[in-house]
Amino acid sequence: MTSISTKWAKQIKSLHLKKYRKAEQQFIVEGEKAVLEVLASNWSVTALFATESFLQQHPEAASKAQMVQACSSDALFKVGTFSSNDAALAVVAIPQWPAFREQSQQWTLVLDSINDPGNLGTIIRIADWYGIEHILCSPDTTDCYNPKVVAAAKGSFLRVQLHYADLTERLAATRLPVFGAYLGGENVHQLQLNEPGGYIVLGNEANGISQAVGQFISRKITIPAFGSAESLNVGIAAAVICDNLKRLTAHC
C-alpha cells in the first residue's frame, strides 16, 4: 500500500498544532463517518488520504476532494491522532464564518475558558442536537479545530458556528437574558421564561464562570443534585440545561 509523502506527512502533523492550523487555515478530519460528512458538505477538502477499501466503497464522495491518494491504514495512523484508522483522513480548509449576530429568538451557548478538547467537542455535538447554531467562546477556550475537538464533535462541527470574542463586550451590550450555570441558583427544572432565547454561559471545568463574565449574568441557574457527587462534567451540564431550556421555550 502507498505511503504518504514526506511533504504531506509533515503538513498533516503540523496541523495537530493550533499555530499551524491558524497559519495554513486548514485542519484535519479523521475516521470514516466524519470524513464522509465533510465530503458531503460544501466545505473545501484540500486533500483526502484513504485506504483502498474506503475509496472503493465511496468513489463519489472521494471525488469531492481536490486531491485523493490511496494509502495504508498504518500510514494514516502515523500522521493522524487516532489510535487506529482503517478508513480516511481529510485536510480541510477552515471556513470563514460571518461575524456573530445576536439571535433574539434563539439560544446561544457561551463558553468561558473551556479547556478540555473532549468537553468542547461534546458541547458542539449537544448544541447541534438541540438546534443551537452559534457558540460564543472566550479567546482562551480550546481551538474548535483541535483534532480531539473535531473527533468528539462527530460531524456536528459542520453545523455549529463557533465565534471567539471578548465575552464581556458581547454580554455588556445585550438586552437578552443571560443565564449562568452555577452550583447555587434557580432550579433549572422549575424555571419560568419570559423570552424564547438568550445566552447560556458555561464556565471553566475547574473554576467555573469567571468574575469578569459573571457580572453580566442576569439569572444564575443550577441543576439540582439528588446524590453526593461534587459536580457535573461541563458537557453533561450543558446537555441538561439545554434540554430544560429548549423544553420550556416551547411554552413561551
Side-chain angles (χ1 to χ4, degrees):
M1 292 287 282
T2 309
S3 61
I4 296 173
S5 70
T6 302
K7 177 184 176 182
W8 270 109
K10 183 178 180 181
Q11 171 81 350
I12 293 166
K13 287 182 178 179
S14 75
L15 297 177
H16 295 194
L17 301 176
K18 180 180 177 179
K19 66 177 181 178
Y20 294 112
R21 291 194 295 271
K22 185 175 181 180
E24 298 294 330
Q25 286 297 290
Q26 294 178 327
F27 69 106
I28 61 172
V29 177
E30 301 172 81
E32 182 175 22
K33 189 169 183 180
V35 169
L36 286 173
E37 283 201 62
V38 78
L39 287 169
S41 73
N42 60 359
W43 291 35
S44 177
V45 178
T46 305
L48 172 66
F49 300 90
T51 61
E52 290 285 3
S53 175
F54 179 93
L55 295 176
Q56 289 171 6
Q57 290 180 54
H58 310 288
E60 186 176 349
S63 69
K64 304 289 182 62
Q66 295 172 29
M67 188 204 84
V68 180
Q69 182 184 322
C71 64
S72 66
S73 57
D74 185 57
L76 293 175
F77 164 73
K78 288 179 179 178
V79 299
T81 65
F82 281 13
S83 58
S84 65
N85 183 354
D86 60 359
L89 180 151
V91 177
V92 183
I94 293 176
Q96 301 302 311
W97 297 120
F100 175 76
R101 295 181 64 183
E102 189 165 87
Q103 314 290 309
S104 61
Q105 300 294 309
Q106 298 179 32
W107 293 105
T108 298
L109 283 173
V110 179
L111 306 183
D112 185 11
S113 304
I114 299 300
N115 295 328
D116 184 86
N119 284 339
L120 179 56
T122 297
I123 291 169
I124 293 170
R125 195 175 178 187
I126 290 164
D128 188 24
W129 181 263
Y130 286 103
I132 295 173
E133 299 176 353
H134 297 273
I135 299 178
L136 277 177
C137 303
S138 62
D140 58 349
T141 287
T142 297
D143 175 29
C144 62
Y145 297 111
N146 178 310
K148 292 182 179 178
V149 175
V150 173
K154 303 288 186 185
S156 290
F157 66 88
L158 294 164
R159 294 174 289 275
V160 180
Q161 297 182 26
L162 276 76
H163 310 269
Y164 289 77
D166 184 325
L167 300 184
T168 59
E169 289 184 5
R170 293 286 186 180
L171 297 179
T174 187
R175 293 185 178 182
L176 296 177
V178 181
F179 294 81
Y182 288 87
L183 289 177
E186 296 179 69
N187 185 332
V188 73
H189 298 156
Q190 300 172 350
L191 290 176
Q192 292 186 339
L193 302 182
N194 297 318
E195 295 186 57
Y199 294 93
I200 305 167
V201 183
L202 301 167
N204 174 266
E205 291 90 343
N207 303 312
I209 296 171
S210 65
Q211 186 174 2
V213 172
Q215 64 182 315
F216 300 106
I217 302 295
S218 55
R219 295 181 73 174
K220 293 183 178 182
I221 58 176
T222 192
I223 301 167
F226 298 93
S228 303
E230 181 182 350
S231 63
L232 285 176
N233 171 278
V234 66
I236 294 173
V240 174
I241 291 170
C242 287
D243 189 79
N244 279 276
L245 293 183
K246 291 291 282 189
R247 176 175 51 81
L248 292 169
T249 296
H251 302 293
C252 287

